[in-house]
Amino acid sequence: GAARAARRVLRQRAADAADPRRRQRAVGADRAQPLGQGVGRLRRPATFLREVVARQLHLRRWLERVNTGATLSEALPLALVFSSRTFLNALRQQTARAVKKPIDTLKLTVAWNRALLPKSAAVAVDISGLLCQGVGFDARAGGLLPLTSDAPTLTLIPTASFAWIDKADPEPYPDGLALPLYFSPTREEFICEVRMP
């Protein structure tokens, strides 16, 4: 089942990474590219190989969790998922099954405190490794913070809980600022909108 499919994907990705011709075909043909977007990654082989290794290690850990029934038991780095939008859509389908509602009656929400999620958030996943560009963030202090002049442009923000909830339910941060979430700092691929406190 799932374990066999994950092993097959791992073998295929390793073969694609080892052979430049196969890697170029895979990058050109696959819309949900596993290692970043565009051919630019291939110009930096060391970066590309680091990403291959990081994803392979992550998939091995994920496979171990699948085999033990604890798939979403710890925070998931969204950058290591092959296709972020596909993952979030699968989460929506799983939630729809759990609450027995059509998927078009659900909306995506994010909370930095799971207790703020409504009861319709039947399936929530903690996402780590998110970066905020141009501002700081502290959920306990009330949200977005200005950066000092010597601060890095990108700041790591705390792990957030992503969940699909009923469209009629209120957002955890109804007065929050809606910010776009992208696959990378280059803003090439929009994933979703995140409401910040």
Side-chain angles (χ1 to χ4, degrees), residues 26-27 30-42 44 48 51-52 55 79 81-83 183-184 186 188-189:
V27 169
D30 188 6
R31 173 66 187 105
Q33 298 168 14
L35 298 171
Q37 303 299 312
V39 183
R41 299 274 186 179
L42 301 178
R44 298 182 303 257
F48 180 82
E51 289 180 13
V52 168
R55 287 182 186 213
V81 174
F82 284 121
S83 172
F183 179 78
S184 71
T186 59
E188 294 169 359
E189 181 187 346

Side-chain angles (χ1 to χ4, degrees), residues 173-185:
Y173 313 106
D175 298 326
L177 180 64
L179 297 176
L181 177 64
Y182 294 98
F183 179 78
S184 71

Side-chain angles (χ1 to χ4, degrees), residues 92 103 105-109 163-171:
R92 179 170 62 164
I103 61 172
T105 63
L106 302 174
K107 65 181 175 182
L108 183 64
T109 193
W164 289 90
I165 63 173
D166 192 292
K167 284 183 179 178
D169 286 342
E171 290 281 340

